[in-house]
Amino acid sequence: MKFDPEAIRKATKEDFDATWKNGKDLVHRAGLNQQYPHTSFNFGKAHPVYDTISKLREAYMRMGFDEMMNPLIVDERDVHKQFGHEALAVLDRCFYLAGLPRPNVGISDQRIATIKEMLGGIDDDGIEIIRKVLHSYKKGEIEGDDLVPEIALKLNVSDSLVVEMIDQVFPEFKELTPQATRKTLRSHMTSGWFLSLSGILERARPPFHFFSIDRAFRREQQEDASRLMTYYTASCVIMDEDVTVDHGKAVAQGLLSQFGFEKFLFRPDEKRSKYYVPDTQIEVFAYHPKLVGSNTKYSDGWIEIATFGIYSPTALSEYDIPYPVMNLGLGVERLAMILHDSTDLRALTYPQIPQYSEWTLKDGELAKMIFVDKLPETTEGQEIMDSIVEQCELHSSEPSPCEFDAWEGSINGKKVKVSVVEPEEDTKLCGPATFNEVLVYENDVLGLPNNKKWKKAYENHSARTGVRFLDAFAAQAAREIEEAVENGESTVETRVRIVKVPSEINIKLDPLAQRYITGKNKKIDIRGPVFTTVRAEIE
């Protein structure tokens, strides 16, 4: 909190030690639900796939490659030009684009009457305006999302009326069915490279070193742990008169060694795609120590991570490209799975979807979902809470019956006297669980004493709420005293005996935490003998 430096300097000269000790009174005190770990600095987390893309971009550029964005939509004719006799097999896995046709709608006398009735004040000139706008829409001069605003503007009526009129008068719009085009979504980055390289040759001369990291789409029969219908591919090309297979090997090692891969094997790919020169299509196997002993089929450390080859002149010639081109590609998600210890592509890509990934929360995250329920709302209430805690800390072991004054003052003009009492005989002011702290240990929410047995639980401060049974009870007692004053009551007594559930000691859990703990078969064990009473007299 803000303080007066001049006053502090003066007080320091008069009594340094007292002024120094009083400095703690100038430090703001956080409430029970605002203290650490509830008070924290959050930070954004990159998605594993995008994180890997970012690292791949940097790796490519460190190797001297320029980034390029390739066309995503590819005409069917280009697929035939690029893949030759394999085109039909490639197209079988492509998504074709479709669009809604633009209907040729007529305006009959019956429709005219309905339009005039719905829009009100529309004459024959208005009907002619609608007719012309619909005709322009049919010819493609007006886009679909501009149709309603265009009619509304020219007729000077509201958009909502035009929408309702089109819906009721022109059912043709609702009956439209998509019509397929010859355009496809790119299934291989290769489709984009042919188009880009053909275009750039009109403005520059090789050698070229380009890379592109972007989406590809394949119409898989189903998605599973190892394949998705849309994924990212990290692809590069080198166009040079003297390019060879050795360039592919060098690029593979130079790129992948930046991600911890140590050894490499290059094997001929049995697929023998026709858009590559025979015997140049090579699979890259790389060794990564992180994979050794993993719960995957790559537990020996070796994984097929990339493929490269030299584009065939038969395909390049279709685009008037006279230079050899080496192309290397790898699946971003496969690399991301290694870097982020994932075994399921769906869980890696869509961790927010419950059916794909296991829900995990760290102990510290759960601790942030634990709160004190009732809290004092006034400065006096805060003082009462602190006084109750102080008296219990001082006299917790005093034999009963006993009573200790905790606070005396006024709230809203009424005198209040607060005491901590234990009326029963042969016991103590506070029970043995009074100083248990609420914390999370191995995903269990527990109320534990700070002793040698629970040393490991107490070592993790981020999973400790900092709230003892006593603190939560004192907050409840203080709030109930405030409420008693508000309600005009003369006495109020707050008592806790043996705690069996969190609510009995004024602790609540976020429903999200409750659901997580239940789903994981973990436990909430906040219980123990507290046996403490707070009594207040109000005048």
Side-chain angles (χ1 to χ4, degrees):
M1 59 181 65
K2 190 176 181 180
F3 56 85
D4 183 354
E6 184 177 349
I8 296 296
R9 286 196 299 269
K10 182 178 179 181
T12 301
K13 290 179 181 179
E14 295 176 356
D15 190 338
F16 174 85
D17 193 57
T19 306
W20 176 72
K21 289 180 179 179
N22 291 336
K24 64 182 180 180
D25 297 331
L26 299 176
V27 178
H28 175 71
R29 178 181 173 184
L32 290 176
N33 288 337
Q34 285 77 47
Q35 60 192 19
Y36 181 82
H38 291 110
T39 294
S40 61
F41 290 93
N42 296 322
F43 55 90
K45 297 179 182 178
H47 188 284
V49 174
Y50 292 126
D51 177 60
T52 305
I53 288 173
S54 177
K55 292 175 180 175
L56 279 166
R57 291 180 69 244
E58 293 174 359
Y60 269 125
M61 286 187 279
R62 278 193 291 266
M63 294 172 62
F65 283 79
D66 295 323
E67 189 168 28
M68 180 174 283
M69 182 176 289
N70 288 317
L72 183 65
I73 298 174
V74 179
D75 194 280
E76 182 187 74
R77 291 172 297 179
D78 285 296
V79 178
H80 282 283
K81 289 166 66 175
Q82 296 159 9
F83 294 91
H85 297 307
E86 293 177 322
L88 290 179
V90 172
L91 289 170
D92 179 67
R93 299 180 67 185
C94 283
F95 286 101
Y96 277 80
L97 297 177
L100 292 175
R102 297 196 166 181
N104 185 18
V105 294
I107 306 181
S108 64
D109 291 342
Q110 182 178 354
R111 288 184 172 185
I112 291 174
T114 305
I115 292 172
K116 289 182 177 181
E117 180 182 350
M118 293 185 67
L119 299 184
I122 299 300
D123 55 16
D124 291 341
D125 290 338
I127 298 298
E128 187 60 27
I129 288 174
I130 295 174
R131 195 190 310 274
K132 288 181 178 180
V133 172
L134 290 174
H135 184 64
S136 297
Y137 168 71
K138 169 64 178 176
K139 293 194 304 180
E141 297 171 355
I142 296 177
E143 297 297 331
D145 52 359
D146 293 328
L147 178 60
V148 170
E150 186 74 11
I151 294 175
L153 178 64
K154 291 190 173 182
L155 294 180
N156 194 27
V157 297
S158 70
D159 285 8
S160 58
L161 283 176
V162 175
V163 169
E164 186 178 356
M165 179 269 292
I166 291 176
D167 182 67
Q168 295 189 25
V169 177
F170 301 105
E172 296 94 332
F173 286 94
K174 292 187 290 185
E175 297 167 359
L176 295 177
T177 56
Q179 293 180 355
T181 70
R182 294 296 181 179
K183 304 289 186 181
T184 71
L185 291 176
R186 178 182 62 208
S187 63
H188 298 70
M189 187 63 78
T190 285
S191 295
W193 280 128
F194 278 96
L195 297 171
S196 292
L197 293 174
S198 174
I200 202 169
L201 279 175
E202 297 183 14
R203 301 181 178 182
R205 289 290 175 264
F208 299 136
H209 295 71
F210 296 124
F211 79 93
S212 184
I213 305 173
D214 208 345
R215 283 193 182 274
F217 301 83
R218 292 193 186 177
R219 193 168 60 93
E220 304 284 3
Q221 294 301 312
Q222 65 177 15
E223 294 185 325
D224 56 31
S226 61
R227 60 173 63 86
L228 295 174
M229 291 189 184
T230 175
Y231 60 95
Y232 283 91
T233 178
S235 180
C236 72
V237 291
I238 297 178
M239 179 186 284
D240 194 325
E241 290 188 43
D242 300 320
V243 74
T244 67
V245 168
D246 294 297
H247 286 85
K249 294 178 180 179
V251 170
Q253 179 168 347
L255 180 69
L256 294 170
S257 61
Q258 298 182 62
F259 292 90
F261 291 93
E262 298 176 346
K263 296 180 285 186
F264 299 88
L265 291 174
F266 304 103
R267 298 175 182 171
D269 192 339
E270 296 179 356
K271 296 191 197 70
R272 296 175 59 85
S273 301
K274 296 300 186 289
Y275 59 91
Y276 283 132
V277 172
D279 302 324
T280 66
Q281 186 171 344
I282 308 296
E283 291 179 319
V284 180
F285 291 81
Y287 177 87
H288 201 300
K290 196 172 185 178
L291 291 170
V292 176
S294 63
N295 187 28
T296 69
K297 60 181 179 181
Y298 311 112
S299 59
D300 61 352
W302 288 92
I303 182 173
E304 178 194 347
I305 193 69
T307 302
F308 68 85
I310 308 294
Y311 283 151
S312 170
T314 59
L316 292 170
S317 296
E318 293 288 336
Y319 292 88
D320 292 325
I321 298 175
Y323 302 99
V325 177
M326 189 285 298
N327 164 241
L328 177 143
L330 62 89
V332 173
E333 285 84 355
R334 177 170 291 192
L335 179 57
M337 290 175 76
I338 297 171
L339 300 179
H340 293 270
D341 296 317
S342 176
T343 58
D344 190 310
L345 196 56
R346 298 163 301 180
L348 176 83
T349 307
Y350 307 116
Q352 72 276 17
I353 300 178
Q355 70 190 73
Y356 292 151
S357 62
E358 184 179 359
W359 188 14
T360 58
L361 289 176
K362 296 179 180 178
D363 286 351
E365 293 173 315
L366 273 174
K368 293 178 182 179
M369 299 183 189
I370 303 171
F371 302 92
V372 175
D373 191 2
K374 291 184 176 182
L375 289 166
E377 298 180 357
T378 64
T379 302
E380 294 82 4
Q382 181 75 40
E383 292 175 0
I384 292 171
M385 182 184 76
D386 294 341
S387 298
I388 293 170
V389 170
E390 181 181 1
Q391 291 303 311
C392 289
E393 288 176 337
L394 288 173
H395 306 290
S396 61
S397 298
E398 290 288 335
S400 62
C402 57
E403 179 174 346
F404 299 93
D405 294 336
W407 187 86
E408 188 170 353
S410 63
I411 302 177
N412 293 337
K414 295 184 178 181
K415 293 182 179 180
V416 179
K417 182 179 179 181
V418 180
S419 304
V420 182
V421 303
E422 177 49 64
E424 296 184 6
E425 296 184 355
D426 299 326
T427 182
K428 298 178 181 179
L429 179 66
C430 300
T434 299
F435 299 101
N436 285 9
E437 184 177 333
V438 180
L439 49 77
V440 183
Y441 181 59
E442 296 181 349
N443 272 193
D444 291 328
V445 177
L446 307 171
L448 300 177
N450 190 351
N451 56 28
K452 185 177 181 180
K453 178 181 178 181
W454 296 107
K455 180 181 178 182
K456 286 187 177 181
Y458 271 83
E459 283 177 347
N460 183 8
H461 284 205
S462 66
R464 292 173 56 181
T465 66
V467 177
R468 302 168 298 178
F469 286 8
L470 171 60
D471 302 317
F473 168 71
Q476 179 181 349
R479 179 56 191 148
E480 290 182 359
I481 291 170
E482 290 176 334
E483 291 173 343
V485 171
E486 295 169 4
N487 297 331
E489 299 174 18
S490 58
T491 60
V492 60
E493 183 175 284
T494 302
R495 181 168 178 78
V496 59
R497 295 179 179 275
I498 296 179
V499 174
K500 298 178 182 177
V501 293
S503 59
E504 292 180 348
I505 197 61
N506 195 30
I507 295 293
K508 65 177 179 180
L509 272 69
D510 189 301
L512 199 64
Q514 293 268 17
R515 188 160 66 249
Y516 176 82
I517 292 168
T518 301
K520 293 291 183 178
N521 291 321
K522 304 304 288 185
K523 62 184 177 182
I524 300 172
D525 190 359
I526 296 177
R527 56 191 173 92
V530 179
F531 291 112
T532 305
T533 302
V534 170
R535 184 180 298 151
E537 297 177 358
I538 305 167
E539 296 180 6

